[in-house]
Amino acid sequence: RIASMNDGVVYLNAARSALHDMDALVAGLQSGKIGGAGHDHFEGEQLPEGHALLTMDNVVLTPHIGGATYNTEENHSRIIAADVVRLLNGERPVNIANPEVLDS
């Protein structure tokens, strides 16, 4: 199915990881067939350490928050927006999972 997609497609999955073949997704990203991906759910709730998706600059991974409640969305949106403003002002975000990306 990935082969039939347009070149450079952006693949988003905010549902369940079982909806696609993870190996095919990684291969598509590595080859450039898939230009980028966003993923919200993983088999076992998290990717294993060293998984290829964790090293790709064209992938956005979120911690299964796609189905969060209204109150959760309101709160995390405020937190995210505040950190985006910090970044735009040249400041370090307060909530960052991978601070090494700012130092590279």
Side-chain angles (χ1 to χ4, degrees), residues 1 4 13 15 19-20 22 25 27-29 34 37 42 45 53 62 64 67 77 80-82 84 89 91 97-98 104:
R1 291 182 181 160
S4 67
N13 183 352
L19 294 177
H20 68 270
M22 186 66 83
L25 174 65
L29 286 159
I34 299 175
F42 312 98
E45 297 298 325
L53 290 182
T62 55
H64 201 182
S77 295
I80 292 167
V84 168
N89 288 329
E91 301 169 14
N98 54 348
S104 57

Side-chain angles (χ1 to χ4, degrees), residues 1 5 25 27 30 43 56-57 60 62 67 70 77 85 88:
R1 291 182 181 160
M5 295 178 179
L25 174 65
Q30 289 171 333
E43 185 72 30
M56 296 181 175
D57 293 334
V60 174
T62 55
Y70 172 77
S77 295
V85 169
L88 292 173

Side-chain angles (χ1 to χ4, degrees), residues 6 17-18 23 31 35 40 46 73-74 78 87 93 98:
N6 292 333
S17 62
D23 293 335
S31 72
D40 184 57
Q46 64 185 20
E73 290 178 12
E74 180 181 340
R78 213 175 291 127
L87 278 170
N98 54 348

Side-chain angles (χ1 to χ4, degrees), residues 44-56:
E45 297 298 325
Q46 64 185 20
L47 290 172
E49 189 172 325
H51 193 280
L53 290 182
L54 297 171
T55 66
M56 296 181 175

